[in-house]
Amino acid sequence: MEIDVTLRGAIEALLFVSDEPVSVARVSKILERDQDVVSQMLEMIAEEYRGQERGFQLREVAGGWRLYTHPAHHDAIEQYVLSWDTRRLSQAALEALAVIAYHQPVTRAGINAVRGVNSEAVLSSLIEKGLVKEAGRDRDAGNAILYTTTRTFLEKFGLKSLDELPPLEEFAPDERTEAAIKERFGGPAVAVTEEPDDDSSDLAEID
Amino acid sequence: MEIDVTLRGAIEALLFVSDEPVSVARVSKILERDQDVVSQMLEMIAEEYRGQERGFQLREVAGGWRLYTHPAHHDAIEQYVLSWDTRRLSQAALEALAVIAYHQPVTRAGINAVRGVNSEAVLSSLIEKGLVKEAGRDRDAGNAILYTTTRTFLEKFGLKSLDELPPLEEFAPDERTEAAIKERFGGPAVAVTEEPDDDSSDLAEID
Amino acid sequence: MAYRVRIDSFEGPFDLLLQLVARQKVDVAAISITEVTDQYLEYVDRMDEFDLDVASDFLLVAATLLEIKAASLLPDEEHFIGEDMDDLSPEEARDLLVTRLLVYKQFKSVAAELAARMEAVSHMHSRQAGLEEGFVGLMPDYLEGLTLRGLAVICADLLHQREVFLLQAEHVAAAPISLELHTESVSRTLAHRGVARFSELLGQDPSPEIVVVTLLAILELYKRGRIGLRQDQLFDDIVVTPIDTIGAS
């Protein structure tokens, strides 16, 4: 198959100047080509970079395609761009973000209820970082502001869409952990049939 | 000849994130490779892009090597850039810009102190839009990056230099507010009788 | 604007509680809750400097723990339901707390997974170089409609707000004890002890602030009709009597 190098070049040029993920629809409109053709070409370019072990890669995130450097060269880049901000999110911010990601749209009270602690400061820092935004109000809850995650969130976490979030069920505490917690609060001794002789495994899991 | 894909990838990654020409000496220092080897590789990458008719090209210009889009796709890029969202600056971005304009050069901590919130995301958006740039480091503040406004900023407002910014005193809270503030400090409510007679000293005080 | 003070390595009352629970040996149920409660209170006690919002969250959990603990120690539990949990029996309060802990733990786990993803993605850099010179002129005017005076006003307003904020911060710092919180605490003390003298409510070596806020607290409770006050002589110790105790005796 002959490669349409003009189309490939044009797409690469657009990706190169773009400061955000570009959707297939947008590329196809600007270049006046079918979405199918554009889609295929994007896949092909990504595959080419991968196959040739280029220093950059083409990834599909947050509803579009965007060029990134290959993670293998992170250290070199960090040396080169001293000002790179690599500060991580605090544990509190991550927790609040997780609640918003899975429960969106959610009010501040909803976030607080899960975390058991006031999340106001954390919330404004997430908004400031562009990971979370206000999205209307909840009429049923005294017009409280509702929060959702943003496209930047998807991008920073490498997700194509919210559907790609890991299923929350996978992170539910398992039955034994649940039973252990209940028991420690003097609840009805829920069937922990085995002798708790292997405490340590249980305890480690709770941590 | 076998290609050193690791070196090639690392060089490509550096070029990709760079916003200015990168010298052979700089690349060879960061990657700890001989200048000859780096030079050869740069030539080879440039040739590869040419041969494959990529949408970008690697050119040697004054001061080093830099990636550019291929001129063949100029029209497509132009159309793309023209289609960019004309969303105005957010209130947060405007605030950060105002603080930088009047306090420059200023560190991120300095901006945060005035705004009372984290200005990280806002700063990078201002930099992306070409309104603010990094300008050296503050030795007295742990080598924190200093930010200033750009020439683009001056041009947008038709200013010849920063001295032409309107003095902030003209916009200070009125006398009654000021008296109220003083009173709350517990000090005597001194009447503000005199006009500030020397702008420059006042400005210095604000800094 | 809220200042967040880190409390050791805990991100909130649930986090602390989970760690305490994890540390404990699986034991007779009743002893467990007692020990967890004591340890929890010990931590809360040690936190001497943190913002009031955080404090109230921790205290709410402490109060709930105490209620569960009290209920588990007493044969007749019905009289030990605090005003806050009107509709909940101690069992329900406990179940609610356990459920919330489990949900919290789930989100804590998924947050760790998200952190790992973010870390991986942070090693891939997008291009931040901005447009090539030839295209810069085509960019939309992000400053459209903004005047120079407008910019100055924004900056002046910020500086002004900051002044006011600093003033308020100072003002707040002078009154670190919340009357509402303290009133609640006095009320709980009285519920436990029945009749008490003012000096007993103060504890040992009270600071002047404690004396003042405790006096305000009993005045507040008196106003709400929750206690009776009696002072036999000028400067005598004030005797504080919860109203429902009066009714019962």
Side-chain angles (χ1 to χ4, degrees):
Chain A
M1 188 191 90
E2 183 115 343
I3 299 170
D4 181 349
V5 285
T6 309
L7 176 62
R8 185 179 69 180
I11 292 177
E12 284 182 323
L14 291 189
L15 291 167
F16 188 77
V17 298
S18 186
D19 61 352
E20 59 182 7
V22 202
S23 70
V24 172
R26 192 126 180 242
V27 174
S28 88
K29 194 172 166 217
I30 288 165
L31 300 181
E32 296 174 358
R33 300 294 288 263
D34 279 352
Q35 296 208 10
D36 286 355
V37 177
V38 170
S39 244
Q40 269 176 27
M41 185 58 86
L42 283 161
E43 302 272 7
M44 199 203 76
I45 296 173
E47 182 49 41
E48 275 185 351
Y49 293 168
R50 229 186 337 263
Q52 297 181 13
E53 297 185 53
R54 291 282 160 192
F56 37 77
Q57 43 176 346
L58 179 55
R59 299 173 57 228
E60 189 179 6
V61 288
W65 293 77
R66 189 171 183 181
L67 292 170
Y68 294 89
T69 58
H70 193 286
H73 308 296
H74 172 66
D75 290 348
I77 291 171
E78 225 173 14
Q79 268 193 39
Y80 175 62
V81 191
L82 285 168
S83 63
W84 221 282
D85 203 333
T86 49
R87 273 181 305 169
R88 293 184 192 136
L89 289 180
S90 68
Q91 176 66 28
L94 279 167
E95 283 175 17
L97 190 58
V99 176
I100 297 167
Y102 284 95
H103 281 337
Q104 60 187 305
V106 62
T107 63
R108 187 159 67 202
I111 304 164
N112 292 349
V114 173
R115 295 195 55 230
V117 71
N118 189 300
S119 303
E120 190 174 330
V122 160
L123 197 49
S124 46
S125 124
L126 287 173
I127 291 171
E128 187 67 27
K129 289 188 167 68
L131 296 169
V132 164
K133 63 170 193 257
E134 295 183 5
R137 283 164 186 276
D138 187 349
R139 297 237 168 120
D140 298 333
N143 266 344
I145 301 167
L146 289 164
Y147 298 92
T148 62
T149 54
T150 60
R151 235 173 77 155
T152 306
F153 163 78
L154 292 177
E155 209 189 327
K156 294 251 170 176
F157 288 81
L159 303 167
K160 283 183 203 165
S161 72
L162 288 174
D163 298 339
E164 280 199 353
L165 279 172
L168 193 55
E169 302 80 62
E170 287 176 14
F171 297 88
D174 60 34
E175 281 173 29
R176 296 196 46 167
T177 310
E178 201 175 319
I181 290 179
K182 279 197 181 129
E183 193 173 349
R184 271 160 241 205
F185 279 95
V190 184
V192 185
T193 42
E194 293 150 279
E195 276 299 304
D197 50 358
D198 51 349
D199 279 357
S200 51
S201 70
D202 260 61
L203 294 177
E205 222 153 298
I206 289 174
D207 260 323
Chain B
M1 187 190 89
E2 183 126 340
I3 299 171
D4 181 348
V5 286
T6 309
L7 177 63
R8 184 178 69 179
I11 291 177
E12 284 183 322
L14 289 186
L15 290 166
F16 182 78
V17 296
S18 181
D19 61 349
E20 55 182 14
V22 200
S23 69
V24 172
R26 185 116 188 250
V27 175
S28 86
K29 195 172 166 222
I30 290 169
L31 301 180
E32 296 174 0
R33 301 295 288 261
D34 281 350
Q35 296 209 9
D36 286 354
V37 178
V38 170
S39 246
Q40 268 176 29
M41 186 58 85
L42 282 161
E43 301 273 5
M44 199 202 76
I45 296 172
E47 182 48 40
E48 276 185 350
Y49 293 168
R50 228 185 342 261
Q52 297 181 11
E53 298 185 54
R54 290 282 159 193
F56 36 78
Q57 43 181 225
L58 178 56
R59 300 212 301 252
E60 189 175 10
V61 291
W65 293 77
R66 184 173 169 180
L67 290 172
Y68 292 90
T69 52
H70 195 290
H73 308 293
H74 185 278
D75 289 351
I77 298 170
E78 193 172 295
Q79 241 193 308
Y80 177 54
V81 174
L82 282 172
S83 80
W84 282 6
D85 205 353
T86 49
R87 63 213 139 157
R88 298 216 11 232
L89 289 182
S90 65
Q91 181 62 26
L94 281 175
E95 286 180 12
L97 185 62
V99 174
I100 295 168
Y102 278 93
H103 293 235
Q104 59 187 298
V106 62
T107 63
R108 185 159 61 200
I111 303 165
N112 291 349
V114 175
R115 293 194 55 228
V117 287
N118 190 305
S119 304
E120 192 175 314
V122 157
L123 251 178
S124 48
S125 120
L126 286 173
I127 291 171
E128 253 171 53
K129 294 183 168 65
L131 298 169
V132 164
K133 63 169 196 251
E134 297 184 4
R137 281 162 187 275
D138 186 349
R139 296 243 163 115
D140 298 334
N143 268 344
I145 302 163
L146 289 164
Y147 297 91
T148 63
T149 51
T150 60
R151 233 180 50 192
T152 311
F153 170 82
L154 287 180
E155 281 166 9
K156 293 253 165 160
F157 286 113
L159 298 173
K160 287 197 200 89
S161 77
L162 290 170
D163 298 339
E164 290 187 353
L165 281 171
L168 270 187
E169 298 72 64
E170 290 176 17
F171 306 93
D174 60 37
E175 286 175 24
R176 286 186 50 180
T177 317
E178 207 150 332
I181 290 176
K182 289 218 170 94
E183 203 172 343
R184 288 189 61 180
F185 259 127
V190 186
V192 189
T193 44
E194 287 157 290
E195 280 293 307
D197 48 1
D198 183 354
D199 283 358
S200 56
S201 73
D202 264 273
L203 256 182
E205 212 165 299
I206 289 168
D207 264 322
Chain C
M1 149 161 182
Y3 277 114
R4 201 190 140 70
V5 180
R6 277 189 75 83
I7 304 143
D8 292 339
S9 58
F10 308 119
E11 293 302 342
F14 288 170
D15 200 20
L16 170 56
L17 208 47
L18 267 182
Q19 295 194 30
L20 290 177
V21 168
R23 207 177 297 163
Q24 260 207 319
K25 288 255 182 279
V26 178
D27 214 328
V28 184
I31 295 174
S32 275
I33 181 65
T34 305
E35 283 181 6
V36 168
T37 305
D38 290 345
Q39 285 174 13
Y40 183 89
L41 292 176
E42 204 179 297
Y43 272 105
V44 172
D45 214 32
R46 262 191 258 149
M47 303 168 188
D48 41 21
E49 216 185 314
F50 53 101
D51 79 61
L52 285 178
D53 282 336
V54 176
S56 55
D57 293 322
F58 276 85
L59 289 179
L60 180 65
V61 171
T64 310
L65 281 174
L66 276 178
E67 276 172 12
I68 299 170
K69 173 180 172 180
S72 69
L73 294 177
L74 287 170
D76 183 5
E77 49 212 25
E78 275 175 10
H79 300 303
F80 266 87
I81 304 161
E83 299 92 333
D84 292 353
M85 314 279 278
D86 279 347
D87 306 329
L88 293 182
S89 72
E91 286 86 6
E92 284 168 331
R94 180 189 54 218
D95 289 348
L96 188 66
L97 190 61
V98 169
T99 307
R100 290 182 67 187
L101 266 181
L102 290 171
V103 170
Y104 171 73
K105 184 172 158 39
Q106 186 174 18
F107 276 96
K108 204 181 159 185
S109 308
V110 84
E113 164 72 17
L114 288 181
R117 271 173 185 258
M118 195 188 194
E119 171 78 14
V121 173
S122 76
H123 285 195
M124 307 175 211
H125 306 282
S126 60
R127 206 170 130 80
Q128 305 283 339
L131 273 182
E132 287 163 35
E133 291 79 2
F135 299 106
V136 171
L138 301 172
M139 272 172 80
D141 181 7
Y142 294 105
L143 297 177
E144 202 182 346
L146 178 66
T147 65
L148 214 44
R149 289 180 67 84
L151 196 70
V153 167
I154 291 170
C155 192
D157 278 357
L158 279 173
L159 292 171
H160 175 217
Q161 279 167 22
R162 183 175 178 231
E163 249 173 284
V164 171
F165 167 73
L166 291 176
L167 275 171
Q168 286 169 342
E170 230 164 82
H171 181 70
V172 168
I177 307 162
S178 149
L179 177 59
E180 192 51 45
L181 269 177
H182 198 70
T183 305
E184 197 52 37
S185 124
V186 168
S187 161
R188 282 177 196 278
T189 309
L190 288 170
H192 273 276
R193 300 176 58 135
V195 181
R197 289 176 179 276
F198 185 65
S199 58
E200 292 170 325
L201 291 175
L202 292 176
Q204 293 200 322
D205 297 320
S207 63
E209 287 90 334
I210 285 287
V211 177
V212 170
V213 82
T214 307
L215 182 64
L216 288 173
I218 62 169
L219 291 176
E220 178 65 24
L221 288 171
Y222 181 73
K223 193 181 88 188
R224 292 183 199 166
R226 303 246 308 269
I227 57 169
L229 295 175
R230 199 183 76 231
Q231 190 177 32
D232 294 330
Q233 265 182 302
L234 201 57
F235 301 125
D236 215 346
D237 214 344
I238 300 166
V239 178
V240 185
T241 318
I243 293 292
D244 48 357
T245 310
I246 295 174
S249 58

